[in-house]
Amino acid sequence: MSDPANTEHDHDSNPGNQYASFPAQPQYFGDFSSMSTLASAAHAQGQQPPSHEVNGHHGGGAFPDLDAHLALYGNLNAHHPNPEYHAYGTSPALNGGSIVPTYSRSHQPFNDWYGQPIGQGLHGFLDSYQNLSEPPPAHAGDLMRNGHPSPSAAALSHLHAVDPAAATDHLTPAPVPAPGPAPSLTPTPTPTHASAPGPAPSRDVGPESVPLAESQTVRQTPQSTTSRASLARSTSSMGAPGTALPAHGRGPGHARTIPDRSATKARDDFRPKISIPTQLAPEEYARQCIYAAVSSRLSPFALHPDEYQLLRDHLNHLQVTGYLNIRNGILRLWMKNPLVNVTREEAAGCTKDYRWFDVAEVAYQWLIRNGYINFGCTEVPGAADLPARSTAAHGSARKTIVVIGAGMAGLGCARQLEALFTQHRPPPNEKGEAMPRIIVLEGRTRVGGRVYSQPLKTPAGEPRAAGVRGTADLGAQIITGFEHGNPLNAIIRGQLALQYRALKDTLTLYDVDGAAVDKPRDQLVERLYNDILERVSSFRNPKAAPPTVEGDRELIELGRDPTGEGGKIISVVEGAAASIPATGAAGASSRSADDHPPLSAAVDKVTGKASVGAGRMPRLPAAESLRRSGWPLHAHVAAHATLDLDSQVRVMSHPTLGGVMDDAVMQYQSLVELTPQDLRLLNWHFANLEYANAANVKDLSLGGWDQDLENEFDGAHAGIVGGYMQVPQAIWQHPTRLDVRTQRIVRHVGYSPDGSAAARVECENGEVFEADAVVVTVPLGVLKAGSVLFDPPLPARKLGPIERLGFGTLNKVVLVFDQAFWHAEGDMFGLLRDSAPVQSLQQSDYVAGRGRFYLFWNCLRTAGRPTLVALMAGDAAHQTETSSDHELVTEARHELGKIFGSAHVPEPSEVIVSRWGRDRFARGSYSYVGPQAHADDYDRMAERIGNLHFAGEATCGTHPATVHGAYLSGLRAASEVAERVLGPIAVPRPLIPPKAQFELGPAVAGRKRKADESARQRLRSLKEGRLAAYEAEVNEAVLAQLGGRPTKPEKSGANPFLLYQKDHWHICKQKCDDARKQATKNAEAKATRNEVRAALGQMWREAPDAEKKPYLDQTASNKQSNSASAADFKEKVEQWDRAADAHRAEYRDAHPSRPSAEEEGLQAEVELETRASTSRGSKRAVAAAAAAVAA
C-alpha cells in the first residue's frame, strides 16, 4: 500500500476507474436483463419477486400514511386496494401495473411500479450500472494513491468511453483544445435488450377525463407518454390490456419525448374538476392532498413565504383557502406518479370553477419554477421540437448558462434549467434567439462530486453477489429518511427504482477490552448525554418566523372551498406586512404533535444528528433529573442542585458547543460518580455528534450548531445497493445527457455585479466560456481556499459567511474481506475509545482519540462483497489525512481482533481510505456552523450577485451538509436563473374574475343594459385597480415610517400534563419497553408511542399532589405570563393602528389618488349614457301619462 502522506490525495488520481470494464449484458435473474421484465422473470424461474424493500417499498410503501387508501407510487396490495377503483373489481394500470381480473394473491401480489424504466436510455443505464453479475477483469498497475488498482485505458468502456483511444483522454491532463466545440462526456453505450422497456406510467384523473372502461385498459407507448387527461382520446393505437407496445425501433441515443397537449391546447378546452376523482369522498381527497403537501416540504394550511410575496397583492384572506386546495391538489398528482410530468391541463383540473383557472396556472408555475413538481429524471413535455428549433436558430444569438461543478447541486441545477427552458420557452425577440445553452464544467474526470462510489475488485473465480454492483461509498452513503419532503424520494424510488436497504438503528457497543457494553449502563449514560444536550440547547439562537398567511384549516381538511368573494386583498388588510403568525409555515415542520415524541433530546445513532426540544431550559434541577433517570447521587448533593452553564458561556467571546458540553460533564462529575467507562460512553456520543457535523464539537457554534433542527425527514435511513453514485449518474444521463465537460478546472470567474454585462469563465487549460449567467456549485472548502478567483472580488456580504462558516472533514477506512467474520445481520457496531492516559477521569483526555474507528458500518448487503466501513470523525478525520494505509489497517485489525478474536480477523483483500481534506476539488467533506457564524450566513451564501449565482449544500440553510440539501440548492439556483431568463411569474389582475351578474328584462332593454354594463364594468375594474394600488402605496409609506405591525407573541405551555410528560417520557418509555420485551419474549421489542402516552396518562392521574404541584404552578405562571404578553401585545397593536391611521390621513392629504385619462373618459361615457337613459325614461313616462289622459 502506498503512503498517502507523501503525495497529495485526489479521489480521481486513477481517472475513470469507477467505470472499469463492467459486463455489457448484466442480468437480474438468469437471462432477464430488463427492469420491466424483472417481476415476470422471477416468477418464470420459480424465484420470489423482489421485496418491497428492495424495490423502494420498505415498510409497505413509499408513503405509509396513504398505503391503505392511495396508490402512491403504485403501491397497490391485496389487502388495501385503491378506493378510487376498487368498486369496479379491477386493479388499475397505474404506472404499468398489470391488469388482472380480480385483485387477489393468485395474480401478481406484488407491485411493479418501480420496475418501469423512464426510457431506453435509463433502461440500459440501470442494467449496466447497478446489476452486474460477472466479475470485472483483473488489472495491473497501481496508479491510485489510496491503494486501489487502476484499470488500463482499454478497460474504461462503461460510461466514459467506447474505445481505448477515447478512454485515454481520462487518464491525461486535458490539453488546450483547438477552436471548435469543446468535448463533453462520451455517451454511454447501452446494451441491446430483447424486450422493449415497459410502458410509461399514467396518473389517475377524474372520470370526466378518462372513462372507466378506458382507464382500465389504456397502456401508453414508451415514445409518446401523453398526459393523463388525454388518455381517453388516444386509445386507437393501444394494444391489448396488460401488454406493452413495441418501441418502434428507437435506439439508445434517441431521446423519447412527451408531447404536452396542454401547451398548445386552447384554455377554453380546459375543464375544471377533471383531476379530482369523484369516487373519493371529499375528506379522503383532502387528506391525500394534505399529505402530498407535507411530503413536498410545504405546509398544506399556509402559504410558503415566497407564495405570500407573490400573491399578497392579488388574493384576499378568504381566497387563500381556495388557492391552497388547488396547490395541494397539483402536488397530489405529482406525488402519485413522479415518472410523468404534471401538465397545465391537469393543474386546471384541480379547480372547481372556471374562474380559478388563473389561480391554478399561477400555482402550477410557482411549483415548477421552485422545483416542487416535474423535477428529476423525468422526460420533458415539448422536447420533441427542440432539434428543429435549434437548427432554425443556427447562427443566431443564444443565451449561455455555465454551471461550475457536476456534483448533486450542479447536475440538479442544470437538469432543472433544461426542463424549465423546454417547458417555458423564452419570449421570442427580434434576433430569433434559440433555447438557452447549459454547460456544466467539472474539474474531475467524473460526475458526482462528494458522492463517489469506488468500485471494488472481485478476486478471480469468486462470483459476484447476485444483482449487486460491488462498490464502496467514500462520500455520501446514507439517505436520511424518505418521508415528509425528501426530494430524493421521487428520484430514487419513484423514477429510478434503485434498490436500497433500510438500516436498523439497533447498535451494539464494544468496550476497549472487546466486551459488549452492558445495555442498562449504556442506556443510563445515554440519558445523561441527552440531558446535557438539552441543557446546552437552551442557548440556541431564536429563529424569526417569516411572514405568511394561513387558510381555513377546517375547510382544507374537509376538502371544501370557501363561499363568498371575501374582502380586501391581503396587502391592504395587513398594511404591507403580514400580521398573521407563520404557524406551520414552510421551512418549519408542518407535522402534527403526534408525529414527534415529546423528547427533550435524543440522538439518531445512524447519522449522529441530535433531535432537541424548542430550546427551553429544563424545569427540573440537574440533581432531580439524575435521580429520576436512575443515577445515584453523591451523599452531599442537595435535591435542588443544578448546573451553572451561564458562567462558562459569559467568559467565552464566541461560545462553542464542545466547551459548554465539556463543562457540563465536569459539573455532573460533582453530582454523580462517573467511571472511566461512563466517560468512554459519553465520548462515543460526542464522536457521533462530530460525525454528524464533520468537526470537533469545540469548533461548533453554541447558538447555531443545529440550525437545521425540525427540518429532518422521516422514515428509515437507507443505503443504496450498488452505490449512491447511481443518483448523480442518472441525473446527468436522463432523460437526455447534459453537456458536462470534465477536466475543466475553473480558475477565474468574471461577472457583472449588476447583471448588465456577460460573465466570463476561464479554465486552467486555457478554455474560456462567455455566459449570461454563472452558477457556482463548488464546495465551501474550495471557496475558502481561494482556488477560484472572482473579478471583481466577492463583496464583504459574501466573503463574511465564507470565512465564518466551517467546512469539516469526515473520512472512511474501507476494509474488504473474502468472508464476513462479524455479525452479518446487524448494520453497524460501535467501539469505545480509551483516553490518553488510559482510564482517565478527565474529560479533556478523551477528545483526540474518541472518533478513531468509533463506528463500523456493515455494508455486506449494499456493497456486493463482505465490507466494513470505519468512520474517522472529529480530530481522527484529520489524523487520517497524514496516516498511512498500513498504520490504519493495523489499528483497525487490532481493534476488531479484541471483539472477534485476532485469529478470525484476516488481512483485508482490499483497502480504500478516503482523504477528503487533501482532495483539491473538495478540501473537506461538508459545512458546519462555526463559533463566529451568523444566523443568516447560509442564506447569505445562497444570495446571487448580479449574474453570479451560488448553489451547494453550504447554501441550503434548511438542509446543510446533506445530499438532498445540495440538490435542493440546485433547484433554487435554477429558479433564480430561470427568472432572469424567462422573467418573473406573470400574475393576472384581477387574478379571480368576479362572478357574472345576470338581470331579467325586455330583450331590447337587456341588450342596451348589457352595453351599458360593459362600460360600467371597465370603469369599475380600473377604479378598483387604481384604489388597490393606491392603498398599497399608502401602506408602504406607513410601513416605512412605523415599521411592521406587531406580531402576536407565542404562548407558553398551559397544560400541566404536557410538562409532566416531557420530563417523564424516558422513564415511562423504558418501563413500557421492558414490559413489551417480557410479554413478547423478544429482547429487541419496543413499546409503541401510543402505549407510552397511555401509560404516562395513568402515571399523571395516579401521581400524588406534591408531585403534580410544580407542574401546576408552572402552568399558572405561564398563564399569567401569557395574559401579560397578550395585554402588552394588544396595547402595542392599538398604538400602532392609531399611528398608522394618522400617517395614512397625512399621506392621502399630501398625495391624493387621481384617476387616469382612460378612467375619466369611461366616467364621462357612463354619465352620458345614464343621462340619455334617464331622458328616454322620462319621455316614455310623459307619453304614457298622455295616453292615459286621452283614454
Side-chain angles (χ1 to χ4, degrees), residues 861-900:
R861 297 193 302 169
T862 57
R865 295 202 59 208
T867 304
L868 291 176
V869 176
L871 299 184
M872 308 291 278
D875 291 349
H878 300 282
Q879 297 161 7
T880 306
E881 303 279 333
T882 57
S883 300
S884 69
D885 290 1
H886 177 73
E887 293 171 342
L888 296 171
V889 172
T890 300
E891 181 179 354
R893 290 185 64 202
H894 176 71
E895 297 299 330
L896 292 172
K898 295 179 183 178
I899 303 172
F900 305 105

Side-chain angles (χ1 to χ4, degrees), residues 14-37:
N14 66 335
N17 81 84
Q18 62 269 31
Y19 315 116
S21 187
F22 297 134
Q25 182 67 21
Q27 297 174 340
Y28 273 88
F29 297 90
D31 296 328
F32 292 89
S33 57
S34 168
M35 287 192 70
S36 60
T37 58

Side-chain angles (χ1 to χ4, degrees), residues 271-524:
R271 299 173 65 186
K273 300 182 182 181
I274 65 169
S275 298
I276 305 176
T278 57
Q279 296 94 335
L280 285 182
E283 294 82 359
E284 173 59 21
Y285 174 75
R287 191 183 69 85
Q288 296 177 8
C289 293
I290 290 170
Y291 195 80
V294 172
S295 299
S296 302
R297 306 176 307 285
L298 291 172
S299 167
F301 308 112
L303 298 177
H304 184 280
D306 292 344
E307 286 177 302
Y308 165 78
Q309 294 297 336
L310 179 68
L311 298 171
R312 62 192 300 270
D313 291 326
H314 301 276
L315 294 179
N316 58 46
H317 284 85
L318 192 67
Q319 293 165 343
V320 168
T321 300
Y323 171 86
L324 291 172
N325 281 334
I326 294 171
R327 182 252 271 169
N328 297 344
I330 298 172
L331 290 169
R332 172 187 174 273
L333 292 177
W334 170 250
M335 284 294 168
K336 281 184 67 66
N337 182 2
L339 273 172
V340 181
N341 283 0
V342 181
T343 66
R344 294 175 59 242
E345 183 179 7
E346 290 174 318
C350 292
T351 66
K352 299 176 183 178
D353 189 310
Y354 288 92
R355 295 189 307 126
W356 289 77
F357 275 180
D358 283 334
V359 176
E361 179 69 18
V362 170
Y364 176 73
Q365 295 294 340
W366 187 84
L367 291 172
I368 287 182
R369 289 279 191 101
N370 291 276
Y372 288 102
I373 64 173
N374 297 4
F375 62 85
C377 301
T378 60
E379 295 178 81
V380 183
D385 58 339
L386 282 181
R389 227 178 19 249
S390 300
T391 303
H394 182 70
S396 63
R398 186 180 184 188
K399 292 185 182 298
T400 299
I401 313 299
V402 170
V403 180
I404 302 176
M408 284 294 292
L411 293 172
C413 177
R415 176 61 66 202
Q416 183 73 353
L417 283 174
E418 181 186 75
L420 290 175
F421 290 154
T422 302
Q423 296 180 73
H424 305 82
R425 275 70 164 180
N429 54 35
E430 64 278 4
K431 299 180 181 179
E433 187 171 298
M435 293 292 294
R437 170 175 48 220
I438 305 162
I439 300 174
V440 183
L441 304 180
E442 170 57 49
R444 304 177 188 272
T445 59
R446 59 169 178 83
V447 300
R450 286 165 280 168
V451 180
Y452 175 50
S453 304
Q454 172 77 50
L456 300 179
K457 298 179 293 184
T458 301
E462 179 181 322
R464 187 187 298 273
V468 178
R469 175 178 181 266
T471 61
D473 284 315
L474 299 188
Q477 180 174 351
I478 306 300
I479 302 166
T480 56
F482 284 112
E483 312 303 334
H484 284 157
N486 192 338
L488 300 183
N489 183 30
I491 297 175
I492 293 175
R493 302 202 295 184
Q495 296 172 1
L496 303 181
L498 295 180
Q499 295 181 356
Y500 69 88
R501 295 288 184 179
L503 305 175
K504 303 174 184 176
D505 60 358
T506 54
L507 172 73
T508 300
L509 293 178
Y510 296 94
D511 208 344
V512 291
D513 60 354
V517 176
D518 180 58
K519 196 68 174 179
R521 194 67 183 182
D522 177 18
Q523 295 172 344
L524 186 65

Side-chain angles (χ1 to χ4, degrees), residues 944-957:
R944 66 181 180 90
I945 309 171
N947 56 2
L948 183 64
H949 302 257
F950 292 85
E953 55 85 13
T955 69
C956 184

